[in-house]
Amino acid sequence: MATTSPASPTPTPAAADQPDWPAQAADAIVEQVGKVRDRTTGPAIKISGYVVFGAFATLLGSVAFVLLLIGAFRLLDAYLPDAVFGEEHTWAAHSILGAVLVLAGLFTSRKMKGDSA
């Protein structure tokens, strides 16, 4: 009993001219999904980047401000005259920096409220 293999179909000239529609459909779907993803996640990624950089800048600014205050206190404490404030004059350095910060706070709160007086 001899078995014969079925003949492989030969492409017809009409089948060779037809476009590969499954690949075209897949490409169109991928393109549309990419457009939707770019329109939705693109702004979210950009905003989250701004939030991260803003938080980092706030952290660095806070640290720099605290170090500036410490340096200003030590500078005042070292160079305030003993004849005017006495031998122990850390209270004067605290008072001067406190007054400056209170005045700055009052000024900024007035600006935020919009009072021009």
Side-chain angles (χ1 to χ4, degrees), residues 20-33:
D20 190 16
W21 68 267
Q24 289 176 350
D27 289 341
I29 291 171
V30 167
E31 181 181 342
Q32 293 302 318
V33 168

Side-chain angles (χ1 to χ4, degrees), residues 72-86:
F73 172 76
R74 291 180 58 95
L75 185 72
L76 277 173
D77 192 30
Y79 289 108
L80 283 176
D82 291 341
V84 177
F85 297 105

Side-chain angles (χ1 to χ4, degrees), residues 57-110:
T58 302
L59 178 70
L60 286 181
S62 299
V63 169
F65 183 68
V66 168
L67 290 176
L68 178 75
L69 286 178
I70 291 171
F73 172 76
R74 291 180 58 95
L75 185 72
L76 277 173
D77 192 30
Y79 289 108
L80 283 176
D82 291 341
V84 177
F85 297 105
E87 189 110 356
E88 290 293 322
H89 45 70
T90 57
W91 63 270
H94 280 280
S95 298
I96 291 170
L97 281 179
V100 167
L101 291 175
V102 165
L103 290 174
L106 287 174
F107 178 74
T108 55
S109 70
R110 273 205 155 163

